[in-house]
Amino acid sequence: MDAQGRGRDEGFDPADQWVLNPDTGDYELRLTPSPGRSSAPAGTSDVRTPGSRRRSKPEAPRSGERVSVPGQRGGRRSAGGGRGDRDGARKPGGRAAAPAAGRRKAKPDRSRKKKALVWTGGALAFLMVGTGTAGYFVYQHFNGNITAVSSDGAGTGGFSKDRAINVLVIGTDKRTGEGNEGYGDAGSVGHADTNILFHVSKDRTNATALSIPRDLITDIPTCPTQLESGEEKDIPGTPGGRFNMSLGQSERTPSCTMRTVTELTGIEVDHFMVADFNAVKSLTSAVGGVDVCLAKDIDDKDSHLKLSKGEHTLEGEQALAFLRTRHSVGFGSDLSRIEIQQQFLGSLMRKLKSNDTLTSPTKMWSLAEAATKALTVDDKIADINRLRQLGMELASVDPKNITFTTVPVLDNPNDKATVILDESKAPQVFSMMREDVSFTAVEKKEKAEAKAEAEAKLKGEMAAPADVRVDVYNGGAKAGSAQAALDWLQNEGGVLKSTNQANAPQDVKKTQLVYAPNQADQARRLAAMMGLSASALKPTTTDAGAMEPMALTLGPDFKQAGSPLTAPEKAPEDIQRVEADKAVCAK
């Protein structure tokens, strides 16, 4: 019998038995009262104590012993798929997971709150950002709760300390589960109803949570998919379809939603997590309810939410109703519902960051139990250690530096029930996330120095457009990009000495311009015209001949001819946004 089951049979909750060992600084799970500190009894061949080596074969702990679970990180190496053709069937190259890191010894002078953060890890990842609240549990028990779905090579397959992290959180409208059959479309196969791309900066100082409207019209690519039966098939794409149809429709799985996000934003996604109605109910109950504020009375017959103006603490059915309501808030649209969902998640983050949660072993045990049962994750993080590592990577982000925003959209003139991209603003938002630019005021000294160095590199004389010679290649951009760029350069920019060289010998991660030292003035002109960053300029060591062209290779970051490839320094002024530390009342 596992630790949790054994504890409950004897009349107590194991979550209440975590005690601090003053000799090691580690919290230990004491399943029965023990008169003193002693080593693990004989016969427990895989029980770890601080400083001990891993023993050969796991055995269940016996009643009366202490299980010490130190903070060693672990994880599986994962491999991604190869790449396909340029017409949508490419599988992004995989990355191996970062090697496991060793356990650090606890410092004796840490405060109670800091000690709690040390022994807690993150099984909730996005939902528990900033707390890392579900760590070092009885491995077999929690690992057995996890449900996984194949990523089908759609994501990077891993995350590491030396780069930004992108996690796609999908909330489905699937009605399975007790008490959910009465919500509207009882036969829904589970579409991508609520979608948040969570980007955590490389230096872990800030994060952006980008909501993607379910009714956004976008291109859903062809999706290589492993079905539930084990069969593998390519599910045809849908040009100009609703975003929510990227999941559920035509047997599409979450990996197809991941591909659709990358196609839309140009952002490589590392992992996905899927939550259904039951996940919302169980997670909010486990945390003891989430605080919300209403600027007016709400009585929504569709979501079954009836609340008076003022502050409320919601969990279970009420929390689900709050997240589903839209007719009684804002303009009554799905965009209004997105805003209150963001407010709710911000409040959840603040609750998880509070001492009330961090110092309660019972709450943390319940949260981990609920999360590992409620969330479906991709197969690359289908392990409690990998989930904990992911949560720990997010733990340093302060809620004041977490920005919720929504993809800028406009009403679809051809269909009032849907929306289309606002091309004047959306590319800026996507570019900021791709280039890891914070939406908050976070700015480190090294970032300012790097910016100054880049600006200096771009300064100098520029050649006239008519004197610029360049060959244009497609090195990972969508089909037709090289010709589109050439047309723009010649017709709008006056760069007549330019040619389309079709596909590059090999793809590049980002657009780049290779030039010789004696072509620097031409490179500056082209960089200024196309909005290329200093990092995109790749000088050679020898001069070029008088008639020799530069080489411009378009990468996945190239979206549209004439749109700058450099990320703006700040977000557009009038986009919808709110910081996670702000308590906002739903209107």
Side-chain angles (χ1 to χ4, degrees), residues 366-411:
S366 298
L367 279 165
E369 182 81 348
T372 51
K373 284 184 176 180
L375 299 176
T376 297
V377 301
D378 69 79
D379 55 345
K380 303 303 182 184
I381 48 172
D383 179 277
I384 192 66
N385 278 333
R386 289 296 286 161
L387 286 171
R388 179 180 62 81
Q389 289 174 34
L390 181 57
M392 294 294 284
E393 287 298 304
L394 312 182
S396 61
V397 184
D398 193 308
K400 71 179 181 181
N401 292 327
I402 301 174
T403 301
F404 286 97
T405 188
T406 304
V407 172
V409 295
L410 301 170
D411 289 335

Side-chain angles (χ1 to χ4, degrees), residues 210 216 406-410 420-423 425-426 429-430 572 575:
L210 178 69
L216 174 65
T406 304
V407 172
V409 295
L410 301 170
I420 58 176
L421 275 187
D422 183 343
E423 296 290 355
K425 300 173 185 174
V429 172
F430 300 155
I575 64 170

Side-chain angles (χ1 to χ4, degrees), residues 74-79 95-100 157 380 386:
R76 302 172 181 170
R77 292 179 72 88
S78 57
R95 295 190 181 130
K380 303 303 182 184
R386 289 296 286 161

Side-chain angles (χ1 to χ4, degrees), residues 137-167:
F137 295 102
V138 181
Y139 176 87
Q140 295 290 354
H141 173 76
F142 288 104
N143 220 48
N145 287 345
I146 299 171
T147 300
V149 177
S150 175
S151 60
D152 298 314
T156 66
F159 58 89
S160 61
K161 289 181 174 296
D162 60 352
R163 64 181 182 85
I165 297 175
N166 296 300
V167 178

Side-chain angles (χ1 to χ4, degrees), residues 445-469:
K445 183 179 179 182
E446 54 265 32
K447 288 186 176 180
E449 292 174 348
K451 180 183 174 183
E453 182 181 346
E455 289 176 346
K457 189 175 180 181
L458 288 171
K459 287 180 179 177
E461 293 185 3
M462 294 187 187
D467 294 330
V468 174
R469 294 179 181 273

Side-chain angles (χ1 to χ4, degrees), residues 5 27 88 189 264 333 404 451 490 544 550 561:
Y27 276 80
V189 293
L264 173 69
S333 68
F404 286 97
K451 180 183 174 183
Q490 293 184 343
M550 300 180 294

Side-chain angles (χ1 to χ4, degrees), residues 112-134:
R112 184 182 183 193
K113 182 175 180 179
K114 287 184 178 178
K115 285 176 180 175
L117 282 169
V118 168
W119 73 271
T120 58
L124 304 188
F126 167 71
L127 291 177
M128 288 189 159
V129 62
T131 67
T133 308

Side-chain angles (χ1 to χ4, degrees), residues 522-537:
Q522 296 182 49
R524 293 189 190 101
R525 172 61 67 184
L526 196 62
M529 294 175 64
M530 299 194 65
L532 298 176
S533 65
S535 63
L537 304 185

